[in-house]
Amino acid sequence: MSYKVAVIDIGTYSTRLLISGIHEKDSLEETLRSVDDILSVGRITSLGRNLKETGYLQREAIDETLATLREYVLIAKEYKVERIIGYATAACREAENGNEFLEKAKQLGIEINLITGDEEAYLSFLATAYGLSPEGSFVVVDQGGGSTEFAYGIKENGGYKLESSVSFPFGIVNLTEKFIKSDPPEKKEIEDMRRFITPYIEEAYGKMKECREIIGLGGTITTLVALEYHIFPYSSQKVHGKRLTREAVKKWLDKLSSMTLTERKRIPQIEDKRAEAIISGIVIFDTAMEVFEKDNIRVSDWGLRHGAVIKYIMERFSSNRS
C-alpha cells in the first residue's frame, strides 16, 4: 500500500513544505527506507520578526505566512495527499497572539501541532538518525529562527535512542535583532553575541560531551555547504551529508561579517532574506564546534519535516499492528 503525506514546518524564520510518498512494507525499517521526497519547498516568511520586542506576531508577518500556507495547501491537494500536518515552533509558543494565528492556519485545512522545544529536538533527532545513519554517539544542533535545539543520540542494537535534549531560547531572528546594529556588523557585536550564547551551549556540552560527532541542521549551515562546495542552484542531494571544517566555518564568518547586507545579498547561494540573519547562525555553529571541541561538523539537509514523516510512519505502523 502506498500513500502521500504533507508536512509543513511553520518556523520563526521560514515556512517549509515536504510532500513524501510512503510505501508500506512488511517491516518498519523497510517502510522507512521506502520513503520518497516528492516535493520540498521553503520560503523565508520571518513570522517571528520583532517578537522579542513586542510580544506579538506582527500583522504583516501573519499575512505573509498565511499566504504561503494557502499556497502549500493547494499544492498538497494537487498531489492528493492523505493528510496535511503542520508543526508550529518557537514563535507560536512565545507570542501572545500565537493561538489566534494557529486558528487561522487550521481553517485552511492543516492539522496543527504546537510543539515544545523538546518535541522539536526529538523530530530533529529522528531526521538525523534515519537521514544520515550516524555510528555511535552524536549531537544534533538544530538552529532555528527563535530557538536552537541540541539532541544527544546513540546507536545501539541496530536502532537509535535519544538520550537527552535541550532547547534554548535563541535563534537567528532574535539574536540578529538583539545584537547586530551595524552594517557590516562590528566585531564587538559578534563577540557580545558569542558571550551570550556560550553559557547555554556549555550547558548542553555538560550533558552531551561524550558524543563522537556533531551534526548541523538548518538553513544557515546548509547555505555554508553550498558556499564552500560551490553548489548553485541549491541541491539537497549535493548538500546532504557533507562536512564542514571549523576552519571553513570561521572563514565564512569572517568573510560574510565583513560585507554589508547588500553585498551578502549579491552572493547567489544566499537568499535575500537569509542574508540579514546568516551571521548569527554561523556564530551559533562556530561556538558549538568550539565548546564541543570538534574540528568538523556533518551537515544534514533533513530537518523537522523529515522527522515528522518518520514519526508519522512509526505511529501508523505501530497502530496497524496492535
Side-chain angles (χ1 to χ4, degrees):
M1 178 187 170
S2 297
Y3 58 94
K4 295 173 197 154
V5 63
V7 173
I8 302 174
D9 173 6
I10 307 167
T12 302
Y13 194 56
S14 59
T15 304
R16 299 172 183 270
L17 166 70
L18 175 68
I19 296 176
S20 293
I22 299 151
H23 315 282
E24 280 193 3
K25 307 289 185 184
D26 292 334
S27 73
L28 175 60
E29 289 70 25
E30 285 177 300
T31 304
L32 289 170
R33 280 198 296 271
S34 80
V35 177
D36 298 320
D37 280 4
I38 295 171
L39 179 73
S40 177
V41 291
R43 189 170 296 159
I44 295 171
T45 50
S46 297
L47 181 62
R49 70 188 84 156
N50 300 323
L51 173 59
K52 284 290 182 197
E53 189 183 320
T54 65
Y56 287 85
L57 302 177
Q58 304 302 294
R59 183 59 46 200
E60 185 187 345
I62 288 173
D63 291 345
E64 199 174 320
T65 306
L66 286 172
T68 298
L69 292 176
R70 275 189 207 96
E71 189 181 321
Y72 287 173
V73 168
L74 287 173
I75 293 168
K77 286 178 177 174
E78 283 287 318
Y79 279 91
K80 297 183 169 55
V81 301
E82 181 178 275
R83 286 169 74 180
I84 305 172
I85 309 166
Y87 285 83
T89 55
C92 295
R93 288 197 294 266
E94 294 171 22
E96 293 283 344
N97 57 343
N99 281 335
E100 177 193 324
F101 163 75
L102 292 177
E103 281 304 316
K104 288 179 178 173
K106 281 179 191 172
Q107 287 165 19
L108 301 176
I110 304 167
E111 297 174 36
I112 294 288
N113 299 275
L114 178 59
I115 57 172
T116 65
D118 283 338
E119 288 169 326
E120 210 173 330
Y122 176 63
L123 294 177
S124 301
F125 159 76
L126 285 179
T128 304
Y130 291 97
L132 286 177
S133 305
E135 293 295 325
S137 57
F138 57 97
V139 166
V140 182
V141 183
D142 183 5
Q143 166 262 297
S147 66
T148 297
E149 283 71 42
F150 284 69
Y152 177 48
I154 57 169
K155 185 177 186 182
E156 60 177 20
N157 305 321
Y160 290 96
K161 180 183 175 190
L162 178 62
E163 288 285 294
S164 64
S165 66
V166 62
S167 178
F168 296 126
F170 61 79
I172 56 174
V173 174
N174 49 32
L175 287 178
T176 301
E177 289 174 354
K178 184 180 175 75
F179 291 102
I180 306 288
K181 308 295 181 189
S182 311
D183 185 24
E186 293 177 3
K187 281 193 163 45
K188 184 181 185 302
E189 293 171 346
I190 290 171
E191 288 315 307
D192 286 349
M193 185 190 301
R194 193 186 296 275
R195 269 195 296 275
F196 174 77
I197 66 174
T198 296
Y200 289 104
I201 297 175
E202 286 173 343
E203 180 190 327
Y205 176 72
K207 300 173 182 175
M208 307 174 182
K209 63 177 75 168
E210 303 303 322
C211 70
R212 273 180 59 177
E213 68 171 329
I214 62 173
I215 298 168
L217 275 62
T220 294
I221 200 76
T222 55
T223 300
L224 284 194
V225 168
L227 289 166
E228 180 67 12
Y229 289 90
H230 309 289
I231 299 167
F232 184 80
Y234 187 86
S235 164
S236 171
Q237 289 76 15
K238 290 178 182 175
V239 168
H240 190 62
K242 284 281 197 296
R243 289 186 186 273
L244 288 171
T245 63
R246 174 100 198 276
E247 190 182 340
V249 172
K250 289 184 81 65
K251 174 188 78 178
W252 286 108
L253 176 58
D254 292 343
K255 188 169 183 174
L256 296 176
S257 63
S258 68
M259 295 179 179
T260 64
L261 175 57
T262 303
E263 288 168 336
R264 291 196 298 274
K265 284 182 176 182
R266 289 198 194 111
I267 299 172
Q269 288 91 340
I270 303 178
E271 298 163 90
D272 265 16
K273 286 188 178 178
R274 186 165 303 286
E276 299 170 17
I278 193 168
I279 304 300
S280 302
I282 304 173
V283 173
I284 292 172
F285 285 108
D286 185 49
T287 308
M289 292 174 82
E290 179 181 31
V291 171
F292 277 81
E293 299 174 348
K294 299 297 180 190
D295 59 11
N296 72 80
I297 183 168
R298 194 149 50 129
V299 178
S300 173
D301 186 65
W302 284 26
L304 183 149
R305 296 168 302 158
H306 292 84
V309 170
I310 292 164
K311 177 174 176 276
Y312 181 77
I313 293 168
M314 287 174 158
E315 289 173 351
R316 179 171 168 142
F317 200 87
S318 171
S319 69
N320 284 352
R321 276 149 184 76
S322 59

